Amino acid sequence: MVRLVKAKLEDIPQMQELVSKDVKDGIILSRNDDEVSTNIRSYVLAKDEDRVVGYAALHIHSARLAEVRSLIVDASYRGQNIGKKIVLFTLDEAKDLGVKEDVLVLTYLPNFFTKLGFEEISKESIPEHKIWADCIKCIHFPICNEISLVYKLEV
């Protein structure tokens, strides 16, 4: 049975293995072990027994804006609503932490997120510090085909 848990440092090797193909393909940004360690509190994992089968991070940009990052579900576990449960967990966590307005996501799968209540926005409305902190590290920068969406929090 798959359960959601907060990540621990000991989970990093499995997390990196799970995401390695999508990082190589340029679908998810590469984050080294040190960066994942620094942000370990932001990750929620889907685990089947001791196996990491999915995860995402909730990154806080400001009191008004958070972001769902690096959502991944093992291919053999897709179609079981694990991704949906992870995203809903991050949205609840954003509310609990007191994020005042929006949760951002950049994705190649916008339909998945619109079904969860996210709305597409223009990339020009994304905070500049996001672009220079993360997007510049992407192999697709500056020609990006990701779609930006936000979820409006009801706080």
Side-chain angles (χ1 to χ4, degrees), residues 12-111:
I12 293 173
Q14 282 192 66
M15 293 167 67
Q16 294 289 37
E17 177 60 29
L18 178 59
V19 80
S20 64
K21 182 183 181 315
D22 284 3
V23 167
K24 182 180 173 193
D25 293 343
I27 296 170
I28 293 180
L29 271 181
S30 176
R31 302 199 189 276
N32 65 38
D33 288 356
D34 288 342
E35 187 176 0
V36 175
S37 295
T38 299
N39 295 290
I40 197 70
R41 290 184 201 100
S42 67
Y43 288 92
V44 59
L45 308 180
K47 280 189 150 185
D48 186 355
E49 309 252 340
D50 290 331
R51 179 178 173 205
V52 176
V53 298
Y55 69 84
L58 177 70
H59 182 78
I60 307 298
H61 286 286
S62 70
R64 299 190 186 301
L65 180 68
E67 178 185 7
V68 176
R69 292 181 168 182
S70 305
L71 176 63
I72 181 98
V73 174
D74 184 290
S76 63
Y77 283 79
R78 292 181 186 158
Q80 299 178 36
N81 288 321
I82 293 169
K84 175 182 178 179
K85 289 174 186 173
I86 292 170
V87 172
L88 293 177
F89 183 97
T90 63
L91 294 175
D92 285 342
E93 192 171 35
K95 290 175 192 173
D96 290 346
L97 290 170
V99 175
K100 300 287 184 219
E101 291 180 19
D102 299 329
V103 177
L104 170 73
V105 68
L106 291 165
T107 184
Y108 293 107
L109 301 171
N111 292 339

Side-chain angles (χ1 to χ4, degrees), residues 113-141:
F113 288 95
T114 56
K115 289 177 186 172
L116 297 176
F118 284 77
E119 298 174 2
E120 190 171 334
I121 60 168
S122 71
K123 285 192 190 129
E124 292 75 31
S125 65
I126 296 173
E128 200 172 281
H129 66 273
K130 162 65 179 165
I131 303 302
W132 294 112
D134 291 321
C135 296
I136 200 162
K137 295 185 269 184
C138 180
I139 64 173
H140 301 294
F141 186 80

